[in-house]
Amino acid sequence: MSIVETSAIPTTSTTRLIEDYSIEITAKDVESLRRAAPGIAADAPVAVTFLATETMDQRIAAATLVRSLGLEPMPHLSARRIGSLAELEVMVSRAAAEAGARRMFLVAGDPPVPAGPFEDTMALLRTGLFERNGFRTIGIAGHPESHPVMDQAAIWAALRDKDAEIRARGMTTLIVTQFGFDAAPFLAWLTELRSRGIDAPVRIGVPGPAGIKTLLRFAATCGVGASASVMSKYGLSITKLLGTAGPDRLIEALADGLQPAHGDVRLHFYPFGGVEKTIGWINDYRATNDGAPARR
């Protein structure tokens, strides 16, 4: 797959939608990724999160492993956790040189007070480090349901400004959304996104198969709607805190609702139940629906 995402999905079939997915890992998931790799399509994007409990060396090693497995690394950077311009320069240059990374995903981060000079994603972009180090695609976050500290007007303004800055620097924007359990907010958000003239490719955040307690815990942490009615649509009952569910219903509802006007839309999996379990679910789902699991 090309590093720059350009080809739109021409149909809304579930099998077409699940093709060309991406997945997220932490630096501690490297052995799980290694075991799962034979079941992952070649060149699939793999995002490496920026956790405060992991070191720069661990993140770079994880991104380097992703590349060695024939996959496409997309390291994350959290602006407010970076202590200096020199630290940022090392992170960006090492990701490019050691992992061959050509995608980077940027977020402001959770700390209320920045550790260094970077308040937000725009501050990172304005250093010029990404284009100078050969990065071609910059990922930014989409929030179809909510944001912990910004209202809707501010969210849309920030998304517009980041997209314009990335393009002005000769790179391509990729929007990856927070995960959700209900297709309706995603579809409404996509409609508004396109009406605002933002035509960047979008990857919709999908929870990998996991137990309901795990899913609810992540939902509470991330501010994602997980009411009884929403979870019922997803295939789970909040009143029965046992059992595991995959995102079958969510993906099918997305496929039913997506229209050509929604543009280039694909899936990004958050493997809350584990990398191997998520990849196994994807391949089983593909095999059941079209008989063509994405194996190498």
Side-chain angles (χ1 to χ4, degrees):
M1 189 189 72
S2 169
I3 291 173
V4 178
E5 308 197 13
T6 55
S7 58
I9 291 175
T11 72
T12 55
S13 71
T14 55
T15 52
R16 182 64 180 166
L17 181 60
I18 204 169
E19 289 177 0
D20 202 12
Y21 62 86
S22 56
I23 189 167
E24 191 152 309
I25 68 166
T26 73
K28 295 174 183 174
D29 291 326
V30 291
E31 292 306 316
S32 294
L33 180 67
R34 196 190 301 274
R35 291 189 295 267
I40 304 176
D43 297 324
V46 178
V48 181
T49 58
F50 193 106
L51 297 182
T53 55
E54 296 172 348
T55 67
M56 183 196 312
D57 285 344
Q58 288 176 308
R59 298 180 201 112
I60 296 296
T64 301
L65 174 67
V66 170
R67 173 63 71 200
S68 73
L69 293 172
L71 306 172
E72 185 67 37
M74 185 168 71
H76 286 204
L77 288 178
S78 177
R80 295 182 184 180
R81 295 189 185 278
I82 299 171
S84 66
L85 176 60
E87 183 182 345
L88 177 64
E89 288 174 335
V90 171
M91 289 180 181
V92 175
S93 62
R94 286 188 63 187
E98 297 177 33
R102 295 294 177 262
R103 301 171 180 232
M104 189 73 81
F105 188 82
L106 307 181
V107 296
D110 298 328
V113 178
F118 306 111
E119 174 72 24
D120 53 23
T121 296
M122 287 292 281
L124 296 178
L125 287 169
R126 286 170 178 155
T127 65
L129 284 169
F130 303 101
E131 61 267 36
R132 289 203 298 271
N133 280 275
F135 282 84
R136 303 178 192 175
T137 298
I138 298 296
I140 55 177
H143 297 87
E145 293 194 41
S146 66
H147 189 284
V149 297
M150 299 171 67
D151 62 25
Q152 283 298 310
I155 291 171
W156 284 117
L159 195 60
R160 177 201 63 212
D161 292 346
K162 286 182 284 190
D163 178 48
E165 185 75 17
I166 292 165
R167 291 169 185 262
R169 293 179 175 278
M171 297 178 290
T172 299
T173 302
L174 169 65
I175 302 173
V176 182
T177 77
Q178 67 189 152
F179 72 92
F181 301 108
D182 185 0
F186 287 125
L187 295 169
W189 177 84
L190 284 166
T191 297
E192 183 162 3
L193 180 78
R194 302 315 186 194
S195 73
R196 290 173 176 268
I198 300 174
D199 61 359
V202 172
R203 287 186 176 270
I204 296 294
V206 174
I212 186 169
K213 289 183 179 179
T214 298
L215 293 172
L216 290 175
R217 184 174 73 251
F218 279 104
T221 301
C222 300
V224 171
S227 66
S229 61
V230 166
M231 297 308 287
S232 175
K233 289 182 183 179
Y234 191 72
L236 286 169
S237 171
I238 287 180
T239 61
K240 297 179 180 178
L241 296 179
L242 295 174
T244 299
D248 312 53
R249 292 190 185 182
L250 172 61
I251 291 172
E252 288 158 9
L254 284 169
D256 287 343
L258 284 170
Q259 302 295 324
H262 289 130
D264 185 347
V265 180
R266 313 180 198 193
L267 302 181
H268 178 75
F269 284 89
Y270 294 90
F272 298 136
V275 174
E276 293 168 89
K277 189 173 185 178
T278 297
I279 297 301
W281 182 90
I282 293 169
N283 284 328
D284 288 345
Y285 184 89
R286 286 171 56 88
T288 299
N289 283 274
D290 68 358
R295 298 185 185 276
R296 288 185 278 170

